[in-house]
Amino acid sequence: MNNNPIGIFDSGIGGLTVVKEIRRILPNENIVYLGDTARLPYGTKSVDAIIQFSLENAEFLISRGAKLIVIACYSSTSVALEIVQKNLAVPVIGVIQPGVEKAVELTKNRKIGVIGTSLTIYSGAYEKAFRKIGERCEVLGKACPLFVSLVEEGWLDHPATERIAQTYLGPFKEDNIDTILLGCTHFPLLMQVFQKIMGKINYVDAAREVGTMVAEELRKLDLERGEQGGDLAIYLTDLSMNFKEIGERFLGEPMRNFSRITLKGK
Ligand code: DGL
């Protein structure tokens, strides 16, 4: 089992930011990544659809021998984490709880902003995660769906991106938040724009915390891989336009081993 891969899935290739962190923290682990590019975006779809897609994605990773699964997609984690956990015999880690714990550690005034897709924000998953760890914080959510397309377009420092960010984030300044949770795979790439608008507050990108959590879980279960040099296999449900260029932006290294697969629907 120790040589089996860690399975990671996302709605697309944004979750490669989480892969990047896991590869940095656990360079000897084999990783199988599934990006459901054919059914992207998840952030604007219904709860039922995302639960179904998430279960199918997890099933695919299990068929590849995954010893642990990471849901790198915030929209999926928001609505499907518990159901996927109940359906699988291996540990399943989402991206919301680790970020919430980090935000609680960083905030001084306990006023926290959360940005994400519409599904993530309206699901109330972040509020639930704060309650779960018994922390009383004022949580202010803002759905920022346009950021996803702007990042996919590569408009990381485009004036249009700045204007849209100003519209979305401007009101947070009056709320006096001191910490903001980046609740979407794509948002860490817009960090510079956020900093320009929000200034010196705490920005939480959960990818690092997720990596640490995966490492702890593998240690606890004695499932670490001892051998040198882990492989990364990337499966996508569609090889969409510019996927390689955009994917490498998220992954921070060349995408070498990738292929298209068709998922078995129910
Ligand atoms: N991966 C999604 C998330 O983190 C963003 C893209 C989408 O809407 O599918 O919420």
Side-chain angles (χ1 to χ4, degrees):
M1 191 76 164
N2 293 53
N3 277 329
N4 287 30
I6 297 171
I8 304 178
F9 79 79
D10 177 37
S11 57
I13 44 189
L16 290 170
T17 46
V18 175
V19 173
K20 181 180 167 190
E21 266 314 300
I22 293 182
R23 268 167 78 74
R24 195 182 61 79
I25 296 172
L26 298 164
N28 296 335
E29 292 296 333
N30 290 322
I31 294 178
V32 175
Y33 180 86
L34 170 63
D36 192 10
T37 37
R39 300 188 286 197
L40 176 100
Y42 280 13
T44 52
K45 298 208 168 73
S46 71
V47 172
D48 286 350
I50 302 312
I51 290 174
Q52 182 204 323
F53 297 169
S54 301
L55 287 168
E56 287 168 10
N57 295 342
E59 219 165 86
F60 170 78
L61 294 173
I62 292 293
S63 78
R64 299 280 144 169
K67 60 182 173 186
L68 178 149
I69 286 180
V70 178
I71 305 185
C73 177
Y74 290 78
S75 303
S76 252
T77 301
S78 294
V79 299
L81 175 66
E82 286 169 19
I83 295 171
V84 176
Q85 281 172 332
K86 273 193 204 125
N87 273 270
L88 300 188
V90 301
V92 182
I93 291 176
V95 275
I96 291 185
Q97 199 71 35
V100 164
E101 285 168 20
K102 185 70 186 173
V104 167
E105 195 185 303
L106 294 174
T107 184
K108 296 265 183 309
N109 69 4
R110 307 182 84 72
K111 287 190 180 178
I112 297 174
V114 181
I115 52 175
T117 64
S118 305
L119 184 65
T120 299
I121 297 304
Y122 300 129
S123 72
Y126 273 95
E127 289 81 351
K128 203 169 148 196
F130 277 96
R131 280 200 300 275
K132 195 171 163 194
I133 55 170
E135 290 292 340
R136 277 173 189 271
C137 292
E138 195 179 330
V139 182
L140 300 149
K142 177 79 194 166
C144 305
L146 293 175
F147 285 158
V148 173
S149 316
L150 292 166
V151 170
E152 301 254 335
E153 194 61 30
W155 286 14
L156 304 185
D157 53 7
H158 193 283
T161 307
E162 220 176 295
R163 285 199 61 182
I164 291 168
Q166 184 66 49
T167 308
Y168 280 149
L169 306 181
F172 275 146
K173 291 193 109 165
E174 281 143 48
D175 296 325
N176 195 28
I177 59 161
D178 74 349
T179 303
I180 189 161
L181 275 153
L182 309 184
C184 175
T185 45
H186 289 53
F187 295 1
L189 273 72
L190 296 175
M191 189 70 101
Q192 278 180 4
V193 178
F194 299 157
Q195 281 168 336
K196 215 164 168 181
I197 290 163
M198 301 295 298
K200 267 194 98 196
I201 59 167
N202 304 308
Y203 298 86
V204 180
D205 163 12
R208 180 166 300 184
E209 278 64 45
V210 173
T212 310
M213 200 183 231
V214 170
E216 275 166 18
E217 192 69 20
L218 292 181
R219 204 175 310 125
K220 210 168 75 194
L221 299 171
D222 204 11
L223 278 178
E224 291 159 299
R225 181 168 184 266
E227 285 168 42
Q228 294 296 300
D231 288 333
L232 168 62
I234 298 173
Y235 295 94
L236 302 171
T237 51
D238 185 27
L239 300 183
S240 22
M241 224 194 283
N242 298 335
F243 78 93
K244 201 161 176 288
E245 187 197 332
I246 304 166
E248 290 176 355
R249 203 178 289 152
F250 287 112
L251 185 61
E253 63 177 291
M255 273 169 72
R256 289 189 189 90
N257 181 6
F258 57 84
S259 40
R260 177 173 176 267
I261 50 121
T262 307
L263 294 174
K264 271 188 255 128
K266 287 244 148 57

